[in-house]
Amino acid sequence: MAKSKADISLCKGCRLCVGQCPKSAIEPLTEVNKKGYEIIRVDAEKCIGCGMCYRICPDYVFTIE
């Protein structure tokens, strides 16, 4: 089954994906990326590969593989 993958180097911490995920598979972290933005993590166990995060993300962080 397809799952969401996140390239955290592109993440700017807007967290739009967190609220959009129907399975709460995306969690916000306090860890920062190289750009200084707080990042997210995708829980592969919860992810159903629906692509809602991919559609809402303005920074092209997600791929569905």
Side-chain angles (χ1 to χ4, degrees), residues 19-62:
Q20 195 70 20
C21 182
K23 296 295 181 180
S24 299
I26 303 171
E27 72 177 287
L29 303 176
T30 55
E31 182 182 335
V32 297
N33 62 14
K34 290 182 181 180
K35 295 178 183 176
Y37 296 108
E38 289 186 350
I39 57 172
I40 51 86
R41 183 180 74 81
V42 178
D43 183 336
E45 295 295 315
K46 292 181 182 177
C47 179
I48 58 171
C50 68
M52 294 303 289
C53 54
Y54 175 83
R55 288 193 275 284
I56 196 75
C57 182
D59 297 305
Y60 307 101
V61 170
F62 298 95

